[in-house]
Amino acid sequence: MTEHIDLEQSLHMYEQMAKIRAFEEKVNELYKSAKMPGLAHLYSGEEAVAVGVCEALKRDDYITSTHRGHGHCLAKGAKVDRMFAELLGKEAGYCRGKGGSMHIADPDSGNLGANAIVGGSMGIATGAAMSAKMRKSGQVAVCFFGDGALGQGLFYEVANMAALWKLPVIYVCENNLYGEYTHHTETAAGEFIARAQAFGIHTEIVDGQDVHAVYATMQKLVERARRGEGPAFLQCNTYRYYGHHVGDINRAYYRAKDEEADWRANRDPLTILATRLIAQKLTDASVIARIDAEVNAEVETGVAFALDAPFPDVREVNEDVYA
Amino acid sequence: MSEPREITYAQAVREALRQAMQRDPQVFLLGEDIGVYGGAFGVTDGLLDEFGSERVRDTPLSEAVIAGTAIGAAVTGMRPVAEIQFMDFITLAMEQLVLQAAKMRYMFGGKARVPMVLRTPAGSGTGAAAQHSESLEAWFVHVPGLKVVMPSTPYDAKGLLLAAIADDNPVIFIEHKLLYKTKGFVPEEYYTLPLATSEIKRKGKDLTLIATSVLVARALEAATQLAQEGIEIEIIDPRTLKPLDTAAMIQSVCKTGKALVVHEAPMTGGFGGEIVAQLCASEAFDFLDAPIRRLAGLDVPIPYNRELEKRAVPQVADIVREARALVRGEY
């Protein structure tokens, strides 16, 4: 997997992951200082999945995202400043302040929206793939969802239809071990991939902490989808560093602190990539430090922009219900 | 325009689908058994041969994904027209319609368009019992972001369906099983009717009767009977429940001073309550000389037995009795 590393692309993927990490740390701060209302579900720890997947896509390929969607949005090309603006309910936000954390969408970068209903976007992604196939556009659609979404019946309906119609859709299951506050072994019987295999869908399991592995596998799946070989199911094993949402602070009752510490210390996607690049003498720590500094500065600038940005006029409450 | 021919409601719907597909390559159909079989009520019969299986898609029996893929296709440039075989089955697609299709544009700050139509036959009268006879229009009227259309004649069905397909919003298009075989004059050409205009189906001075779908036909029959007694009923069909055009009904009640609202769906929480509220909040209130009455389905599931089934929803005789009582000042 690592023998043909393109350094420039690897550093780009590092930058994207570092940006997501810095973004989420800032979101946590905003929430804790009561500057942000509502709910936010942090993506920290899972960065290699969004970045590895989106790196294999073109700008006009589609994604649908989840309640834990900031990473997907940024990886697909959304800008930090307008993301923060949306989280703060500002007019400059991607949804003019009407969507918030769980509904950020950016059709210009192929992002058909985060979705607060677990599994709720599976039909939309599948329909986007159907549309791409009908229009012969060559686009593919990626549907992100978590392990918890396998409890939703919609998955079995879309998997059946996508397989029957050989749709160019890739179902990316982010297995971060917990659906809300419950370990997947208590909520999902059998193997995850067996569900897709039952429909004859091509499946892969990948280490979701290794961005190279995610990217390389995803590239194969995208190519076969573009060739008309139909849907695929990619299980990415990963971990969320924080709780189900930002308010889920004391987690010991459902997962051990040692487990959290172990993932952070030994399975961190940024560390894994940086260590590999340095060990192979492709880069050095100063380059990594420079990228970290750059993305931190981008996040600081972005949040400052968003904090200063105006709220939408309250009269907008009635706008955009209908086209 | 050429001379209108007399065709059935089902033929009018089919003609609208055909003309929409001929005009716009982005329009396609999906639903259960709509292709080879031609649809549970034969509405899409022949369209598979004409347009092929890419544009007339027989789907699995999976209502949620019929709705879901329609949304995904709509938001990426297509104009899907989905069929839900019986309106009852729409319950299986509710999340996709209510939480996704209806809200997408608003949640995204106006950056998405969801130009999809979901056609579905509603209503009782076929002996199909409680899970194939629902009239659920009030649920959808209550969801911002959806439009709800409920045509009562072949002419309205064609023009409103073509307008719904051309509309950039998700539209729930409710047909009625008992209307499919009814006939009416319909122009052969492509035409649209605006999705926000009611129509006066009969002129009268003694009572304003507002009815939807199959109840419009029953109201017309009742009006013919009452005319023999010298009672002249004005019948207004909203045609589109959302957006709702209240101008004609308000004007009519100002003239007649009496209003009767009639629909098939159960009374409690039914759309008739909304019409009554709109009338009461309008200038028509000052002209009322009797309470506004509602005649609606009983608050029961639709029963199987033919006689019980008839009893569960307003029939012509019920309308005659209620209208006569209202006009005679019995309320």
Side-chain angles (χ1 to χ4, degrees):
Chain A
M1 199 67 70
T2 58
E3 55 269 31
H4 302 296
I5 298 175
D6 177 318
L7 177 63
E8 192 186 337
Q9 191 171 27
S10 293
L11 290 177
H12 173 68
M13 290 196 283
Y14 181 85
E15 181 187 333
Q16 289 287 79
M17 293 199 296
K19 189 191 296 181
I20 294 168
R21 178 70 55 88
F23 183 90
E24 296 294 59
E25 298 302 323
K26 184 60 74 178
V27 171
N28 205 17
E29 240 176 70
L30 289 171
Y31 186 83
K32 284 182 173 169
S33 58
K35 291 196 175 80
M36 207 191 116
L39 287 168
H41 307 77
L42 302 181
Y43 198 68
S44 303
E46 305 187 22
E47 295 89 346
V49 178
V51 172
V53 165
C54 291
E55 192 72 10
L57 301 177
K58 295 180 183 167
R59 185 171 169 83
D60 70 346
D61 287 325
Y62 299 114
I63 66 163
T64 62
S65 170
T66 70
H67 59 288
R68 198 176 305 288
H70 304 164
H72 309 140
C73 295
L74 289 166
K76 194 66 174 64
K79 300 287 179 232
V80 164
D81 50 1
R82 293 191 61 201
M83 291 271 295
F84 277 125
E86 187 58 35
L87 297 191
L88 296 173
K90 301 299 180 73
E91 187 184 2
Y94 274 103
C95 309
R96 301 182 69 80
K98 279 180 174 151
S101 167
M102 290 191 281
H103 304 301
I104 298 184
D106 181 26
D108 291 342
S109 65
N111 181 352
L112 300 179
N115 209 302
I117 302 302
V118 169
S121 75
M122 290 169 166
I124 298 167
T126 307
M130 176 169 73
S131 157
K133 189 174 184 187
M134 292 181 79
R135 289 182 284 108
K136 298 183 172 57
S137 67
Q139 293 160 291
V140 302
V142 168
C143 179
F144 286 105
F145 55 91
D147 46 289
L150 294 173
Q152 295 286 359
L154 188 57
F155 173 71
Y156 305 89
E157 293 193 21
V158 299
N160 182 49
M161 188 181 271
L164 284 170
W165 292 351
K166 284 200 161 199
L167 300 180
V169 55
I170 297 157
Y171 300 104
V172 176
C173 177
E174 299 179 307
N175 172 25
N176 66 14
L177 305 183
Y178 298 88
E180 299 192 355
Y181 313 94
T182 305
H183 194 273
H184 72 75
T185 50
E186 294 178 47
T187 55
E191 296 295 319
F192 293 172
I193 57 168
R195 291 158 164 75
Q197 286 167 346
F199 298 98
I201 291 178
H202 180 88
T203 62
E204 301 271 357
I205 300 178
V206 71
D207 177 0
Q209 305 307 89
D210 181 348
V211 74
H212 282 133
V214 175
Y215 170 61
T217 308
M218 192 62 194
Q219 261 192 317
K220 283 195 306 185
L221 301 181
V222 171
E223 280 167 21
R224 63 183 294 289
R226 287 203 213 282
R227 282 197 304 266
E229 292 172 27
F233 181 98
L234 174 62
Q235 175 182 337
C236 300
N237 293 323
T238 185
Y239 198 74
R240 61 172 205 232
Y241 285 173
Y242 293 99
H244 170 52
H245 62 87
V246 279
D248 174 20
I249 310 286
N250 301 312
R251 303 179 286 270
Y253 68 94
Y254 73 86
R255 71 181 199 188
K257 286 188 172 172
D258 287 353
E259 178 186 290
E260 295 187 0
D262 181 53
W263 280 86
R264 279 183 183 265
N266 302 311
R267 307 289 314 283
D268 183 73
L270 281 78
T271 308
I272 288 172
L273 177 60
T275 306
R276 180 182 298 151
L277 296 176
I278 293 166
Q280 300 198 349
K281 302 199 187 314
L282 293 166
T283 190
D284 59 53
S286 68
V287 173
I288 299 297
R290 181 174 50 75
I291 294 174
D292 287 340
E294 282 169 4
V295 296
N296 282 326
E298 186 181 345
V299 162
E300 290 301 334
T301 309
V303 81
F305 162 81
L307 286 166
D308 287 345
F311 285 117
D313 190 312
V314 289
R315 283 171 295 191
E316 287 194 25
V317 70
N318 277 321
E319 289 178 12
D320 295 324
V321 179
Y322 294 96
Chain B
M1 262 196 185
S2 69
E3 197 62 23
R5 319 119 306 149
E6 204 172 29
I7 60 173
T8 67
Y9 186 97
Q11 286 169 330
V13 172
R14 186 185 311 137
E15 191 164 276
L17 293 172
R18 179 185 292 117
Q19 289 180 358
M21 292 174 83
Q22 285 167 344
R23 284 168 72 98
D24 184 352
Q26 322 294 186
V27 177
F28 71 100
L29 315 182
L30 72 167
E32 297 162 1
D33 290 312
I34 63 166
V36 177
Y37 182 62
F41 296 91
V43 172
T44 49
D45 193 29
L47 296 180
L48 174 66
D49 290 340
E50 194 172 341
F51 296 101
S53 58
E54 273 278 296
R55 294 182 71 196
V56 181
R57 290 175 170 256
D58 274 326
T59 67
L61 306 183
S62 306
E63 287 78 12
V65 76
I66 291 171
T69 49
I71 299 165
V75 81
T76 56
M78 302 296 284
R79 288 190 176 273
V81 183
E83 178 179 298
I84 296 291
Q85 200 167 57
F86 287 82
M87 189 168 203
D88 314 64
F89 307 168
I90 218 168
T91 55
L92 296 157
M94 283 305 271
E95 184 274 322
Q96 294 287 294
L97 294 171
V98 175
L99 300 185
Q100 310 293 343
K103 294 179 165 68
M104 200 175 231
R105 180 177 180 80
Y106 191 82
M107 289 194 302
F108 297 175
K111 279 189 300 193
R113 286 183 313 161
V114 190
M116 62 179 276
V117 177
L118 195 143
R119 293 178 40 243
T120 190
S124 65
T126 62
Q131 295 175 341
H132 287 72
S133 304
E134 290 265 28
S135 301
L136 301 174
E137 63 274 11
W139 289 5
F140 297 97
V141 167
H142 198 57
V143 178
L146 298 179
K147 293 188 177 182
V148 181
V149 182
M150 217 169 171
S152 68
T153 68
Y155 175 81
D156 290 351
K158 180 177 172 182
L160 290 169
L161 181 53
L162 284 167
I165 294 170
D167 197 272
D168 279 338
N169 299 285
V171 180
I172 309 294
F173 192 87
I174 304 170
E175 299 161 14
H176 198 290
K177 302 172 194 92
L178 297 186
L179 292 175
Y180 279 135
K181 289 181 178 168
T182 60
K183 287 189 166 180
F185 288 100
V186 178
E188 209 164 335
E189 292 88 352
Y190 177 100
Y191 63 93
T192 60
L193 297 171
L195 294 184
T197 51
S198 62
E199 191 182 58
I200 299 171
K201 296 291 187 186
R202 185 185 192 281
K203 286 274 190 191
K205 60 177 175 34
D206 298 320
L207 166 71
T208 303
L209 192 155
I210 299 140
T212 55
S213 193
V214 75
L215 268 304
V216 174
R218 286 186 199 156
L220 285 165
E221 209 178 315
T224 306
Q225 291 183 24
L226 287 163
Q228 291 164 5
E229 303 173 20
I231 296 172
E232 293 298 336
I233 297 181
E234 183 143 296
I235 298 173
I236 296 174
D237 177 3
R239 301 196 292 191
T240 301
L241 305 193
K242 195 170 190 181
L244 178 66
D245 164 28
T246 54
M249 57 184 85
I250 290 169
Q251 209 177 0
S252 176
V253 175
C254 289
K255 178 179 72 180
T256 64
K258 297 184 181 68
L260 173 61
V261 183
V262 185
H263 58 64
E264 172 168 350
M267 170 99 74
T268 307
F271 187 68
E274 176 65 25
I275 292 177
V276 173
Q278 298 257 5
L279 290 173
C280 287
S282 77
E283 64 267 32
F285 184 75
D286 288 339
F287 294 85
L288 286 170
D289 54 23
I292 301 178
R293 300 287 298 179
R294 283 186 291 164
L295 184 61
L298 302 179
D299 283 322
V300 300
I302 298 298
Y304 171 66
N305 172 282
R306 285 277 187 189
E307 292 310 311
L308 295 180
E309 184 186 30
K310 274 190 195 162
R311 181 71 187 84
V313 301
Q315 304 298 323
V316 175
D318 301 316
I319 301 171
V320 169
R321 191 172 53 249
E322 189 69 13
R324 187 193 288 133
L326 194 47
V327 171
R328 287 183 181 170
E330 292 174 20
Y331 292 112

